[in-house]
Amino acid sequence: MKIKRIFDIIVSATGLVILGPLLICLAWKIKAEDGGQVFYRGERTGLNGRLFRIYKFRSMVVNADKIGSSSTASEDSRITRIGRWIRAHKLDELPQLLNVLAGDMSLVGPRPEVKRFTDIYTQEEKMILNVRPGITDWASIWNSDEGAVLAGAADPDQAYLELIRPGKIRLQMEYVKRQSFSVDIKIIFQTLMKLAGIEVWSIDLK
């Protein structure tokens, strides 16, 4: 078993234990708001194009994926009251530790996309599917609030394709080319600093 996978298992299992009380509290608040399911289990494209169900705390109304676009602007009316708060603090992503533990995802890797977006990958872009998708990557640090970028867009999906996807794809492809355990540790450190409000973004893409 590769060191990356061993690291993923140890960190995700430890994180679930330590964060258990917080996860239970958030689950209760989500359930209490509207009585709907706690988790959002959207379909994503994973390693080698295999589809899997991602774990996220539900931050939108029930069946939101059936009444709107895949991309979500910050002012989207489908976002619930508790959902807006957990999104602002990135807490909706914590259940993905379950995906990491199961082997569907890694702590670090390209953020998983919905199939409609991976279906339009060019032959070169398909290299992104050669690694496990992750909770965080360079693209997540570069653009940590996609909702703000999409705010006010008449068509959030089209705005995503035009404003976010080009830079995101470029950074994800760069990660695939440079991936190593030391790069992963650096990305995790940068992510933690970003969450703490400390700007540490730096990557030379020339």
Side-chain angles (χ1 to χ4, degrees), residues 30-48:
I30 292 168
K31 188 70 174 179
E33 178 160 351
D34 60 12
Q37 68 270 24
V38 170
F39 295 113
Y40 165 72
R41 298 294 316 280
E43 192 175 70
R44 296 289 186 273
T45 305
L47 178 64
N48 298 323

Side-chain angles (χ1 to χ4, degrees), residues 178-192:
R178 300 190 190 188
Q179 62 175 316
S180 68
F181 186 64
S182 61
V183 166
D184 284 1
I185 295 300
K186 182 177 180 181
I187 290 175
I188 290 173
F189 172 76
Q190 290 177 317
T191 300
L192 293 174

Side-chain angles (χ1 to χ4, degrees), residues 41 52-55 95-105:
R41 298 294 316 280
F52 72 98
R53 293 282 178 179
I54 194 171
Y55 278 99
Q96 285 162 48
L97 290 172
L98 292 168
N99 288 116
V100 175
L101 193 60
D104 295 321
M105 293 176 63

Side-chain angles (χ1 to χ4, degrees), residues 21-92:
L22 173 61
L23 298 177
I24 292 172
C25 179
L26 291 174
W28 179 82
K29 287 182 175 295
I30 292 168
K31 188 70 174 179
E33 178 160 351
D34 60 12
Q37 68 270 24
V38 170
F39 295 113
Y40 165 72
R41 298 294 316 280
E43 192 175 70
R44 296 289 186 273
T45 305
L47 178 64
N48 298 323
R50 183 178 64 84
L51 299 178
F52 72 98
R53 293 282 178 179
I54 194 171
Y55 278 99
K56 297 182 74 171
F57 275 132
R58 181 175 60 86
S59 60
M60 305 180 80
V61 297
V62 176
N63 294 325
D65 55 339
K66 298 177 181 178
I67 56 175
S69 61
S70 300
S71 305
T72 308
S74 57
E75 80 277 18
D76 196 309
S77 61
R78 295 173 297 169
I79 302 175
T80 62
R81 185 165 52 89
I82 182 64
R84 197 168 301 281
W85 185 80
I86 63 175
R87 275 175 172 261
H89 296 85
K90 302 299 181 183
L91 299 176
D92 57 322

